[in-house]
Amino acid sequence: QVQLVESGGGLVQPGHSLRLSCVVTGFTLDSLPIAWFRQISGREREGVACISNRGEDTYYADSVQGRFTISKDIAKNTVYLQMDNLKPEDSANYYCAAFSPLITRLWQSVTEKGMLHRGKGTLVTVSA
């Protein structure tokens, strides 16, 4: 059974850091790219970061470039999102999703239908 389970969210002050985890079961991380998305209720979903299935390429949204880092641990079948210098506008539900390697470079445009698998998310709130 395929599952993606996120954790690591919480309430933090601006300027602080969080590390999100996405534990994958049912397939290996070297088979599919994984992206982190975030969404606030009533607003459009935003692609935050993506890592290719082989791990040699990473991609970031302009809004998080230089502050967020995506990585993965093949042995633990886990993808991480290190978030530094958090801002209030980073507050959202963050979820990870897997999709076809053929559309890795189009990761920010991946729709819900284009996601092969996704988790439910973990809530991040950045507030003083």
Tab-separated table of all heavy atoms in Angstrom, residues 1-5 22-29 34 76-78 117:
chain	number	residue	atom	x	y	z
A	1	GLN	N	0.844	-1.189	0.000
A	1	GLN	CA	0.000	0.000	0.000
A	1	GLN	C	0.885	1.247	0.000
A	1	GLN	O	1.803	1.359	0.795
A	1	GLN	CB	-0.905	0.012	1.225
A	1	GLN	CG	-1.838	1.214	1.280
A	1	GLN	CD	-2.723	1.206	2.517
A	1	GLN	OE1	-2.617	0.320	3.356
A	1	GLN	NE2	-3.581	2.190	2.640
A	2	VAL	N	0.590	2.161	-0.892
A	2	VAL	CA	1.367	3.389	-0.981
A	2	VAL	C	0.852	4.416	0.015
A	2	VAL	O	-0.358	4.668	0.109
A	2	VAL	CB	1.298	3.979	-2.401
A	2	VAL	CG1	1.992	5.328	-2.446
A	2	VAL	CG2	1.934	3.026	-3.418
A	3	GLN	N	1.797	4.991	0.752
A	3	GLN	CA	1.449	6.058	1.682
A	3	GLN	C	2.555	7.101	1.716
A	3	GLN	O	3.736	6.762	1.628
A	3	GLN	CB	1.262	5.511	3.102
A	3	GLN	CG	-0.116	4.962	3.391
A	3	GLN	CD	-0.309	4.686	4.872
A	3	GLN	OE1	0.537	4.094	5.519
A	3	GLN	NE2	-1.441	5.135	5.403
A	4	LEU	N	2.159	8.351	1.831
A	4	LEU	CA	3.080	9.444	2.091
A	4	LEU	C	2.569	10.127	3.347
A	4	LEU	O	1.421	10.601	3.375
A	4	LEU	CB	3.123	10.446	0.936
A	4	LEU	CG	3.909	10.061	-0.317
A	4	LEU	CD1	3.190	8.991	-1.122
A	4	LEU	CD2	4.168	11.283	-1.185
A	5	VAL	N	3.402	10.170	4.367
A	5	VAL	CA	2.982	10.729	5.645
A	5	VAL	C	3.933	11.843	6.046
A	5	VAL	O	5.127	11.611	6.234
A	5	VAL	CB	2.945	9.653	6.736
A	5	VAL	CG1	2.508	10.263	8.063
A	5	VAL	CG2	1.997	8.517	6.342
A	22	CYS	N	8.696	13.623	5.030
A	22	CYS	CA	7.688	12.910	4.243
A	22	CYS	C	8.159	11.459	4.149
A	22	CYS	O	9.097	11.156	3.395
A	22	CYS	CB	7.563	13.528	2.864
A	22	CYS	SG	6.557	12.591	1.678
A	23	VAL	N	7.544	10.597	4.935
A	23	VAL	CA	7.917	9.185	4.939
A	23	VAL	C	7.088	8.447	3.893
A	23	VAL	O	5.858	8.514	3.909
A	23	VAL	CB	7.710	8.554	6.321
A	23	VAL	CG1	8.062	7.075	6.281
A	23	VAL	CG2	8.552	9.274	7.367
A	24	VAL	N	7.781	7.759	3.010
A	24	VAL	CA	7.127	7.084	1.889
A	24	VAL	C	7.147	5.577	2.092
A	24	VAL	O	8.184	5.008	2.441
A	24	VAL	CB	7.835	7.435	0.572
A	24	VAL	CG1	7.254	6.627	-0.582
A	24	VAL	CG2	7.725	8.927	0.289
A	25	THR	N	6.024	4.956	1.880
A	25	THR	CA	5.945	3.491	1.854
A	25	THR	C	5.227	3.066	0.580
A	25	THR	O	4.386	3.793	0.055
A	25	THR	CB	5.184	2.940	3.071
A	25	THR	OG1	3.896	3.571	3.139
A	25	THR	CG2	5.930	3.215	4.365
A	26	GLY	N	5.606	1.909	0.078
A	26	GLY	CA	4.953	1.375	-1.108
A	26	GLY	C	5.716	1.580	-2.400
A	26	GLY	O	5.375	0.965	-3.418
A	27	PHE	N	6.713	2.430	-2.403
A	27	PHE	CA	7.601	2.570	-3.551
A	27	PHE	C	8.914	3.178	-3.046
A	27	PHE	O	8.963	3.761	-1.965
A	27	PHE	CB	6.987	3.422	-4.672
A	27	PHE	CG	6.756	4.868	-4.324
A	27	PHE	CD1	7.735	5.826	-4.569
A	27	PHE	CD2	5.554	5.282	-3.761
A	27	PHE	CE1	7.521	7.158	-4.255
A	27	PHE	CE2	5.326	6.605	-3.449
A	27	PHE	CZ	6.311	7.547	-3.687
A	28	THR	N	9.954	3.058	-3.831
A	28	THR	CA	11.255	3.587	-3.436
A	28	THR	C	11.460	4.983	-4.013
A	28	THR	O	10.957	5.314	-5.094
A	28	THR	CB	12.397	2.675	-3.907
A	28	THR	OG1	12.308	2.516	-5.328
A	28	THR	CG2	12.293	1.312	-3.241
A	29	LEU	N	12.210	5.791	-3.293
A	29	LEU	CA	12.383	7.191	-3.677
A	29	LEU	C	13.177	7.373	-4.962
A	29	LEU	O	13.146	8.462	-5.542
A	29	LEU	CB	13.050	7.978	-2.549
A	29	LEU	CG	12.190	8.228	-1.318
A	29	LEU	CD1	12.972	9.027	-0.286
A	29	LEU	CD2	10.898	8.942	-1.686
A	34	ILE	N	9.694	13.685	-5.995
A	34	ILE	CA	8.815	14.112	-4.912
A	34	ILE	C	8.849	15.631	-4.822
A	34	ILE	O	9.920	16.245	-4.905
A	34	ILE	CB	9.277	13.542	-3.551
A	34	ILE	CG1	9.286	12.013	-3.578
A	34	ILE	CG2	8.364	14.060	-2.434
A	34	ILE	CD1	7.933	11.353	-3.595
A	76	LYS	N	16.083	5.616	4.449
A	76	LYS	CA	14.907	5.814	5.300
A	76	LYS	C	13.643	6.052	4.474
A	76	LYS	O	12.565	6.216	5.050
A	76	LYS	CB	15.141	6.993	6.245
A	76	LYS	CG	16.263	6.771	7.254
A	76	LYS	CD	16.401	7.962	8.184
A	76	LYS	CE	17.497	7.723	9.211
A	76	LYS	NZ	17.664	8.863	10.136
A	77	ASN	N	13.805	6.090	3.146
A	77	ASN	CA	12.676	6.380	2.252
A	77	ASN	C	11.912	7.625	2.705
A	77	ASN	O	10.672	7.646	2.754
A	77	ASN	CB	11.730	5.182	2.145
A	77	ASN	CG	11.403	4.841	0.700
A	77	ASN	OD1	12.240	4.988	-0.191
A	77	ASN	ND2	10.199	4.370	0.449
A	78	THR	N	12.675	8.654	3.002
A	78	THR	CA	12.108	9.877	3.557
A	78	THR	C	12.637	11.091	2.794
A	78	THR	O	13.833	11.164	2.486
A	78	THR	CB	12.452	10.017	5.044
A	78	THR	OG1	11.915	8.895	5.756
A	78	THR	CG2	11.869	11.301	5.633
A	117	HIS	N	0.593	10.029	-6.125
A	117	HIS	CA	0.326	9.811	-4.707
A	117	HIS	C	0.582	11.118	-3.964
A	117	HIS	O	1.442	11.903	-4.377
A	117	HIS	CB	1.252	8.734	-4.124
A	117	HIS	CG	1.381	7.506	-4.963
A	117	HIS	ND1	0.380	6.562	-5.062
A	117	HIS	CD2	2.390	7.081	-5.767
A	117	HIS	CE1	0.775	5.610	-5.882
A	117	HIS	NE2	1.970	5.884	-6.322
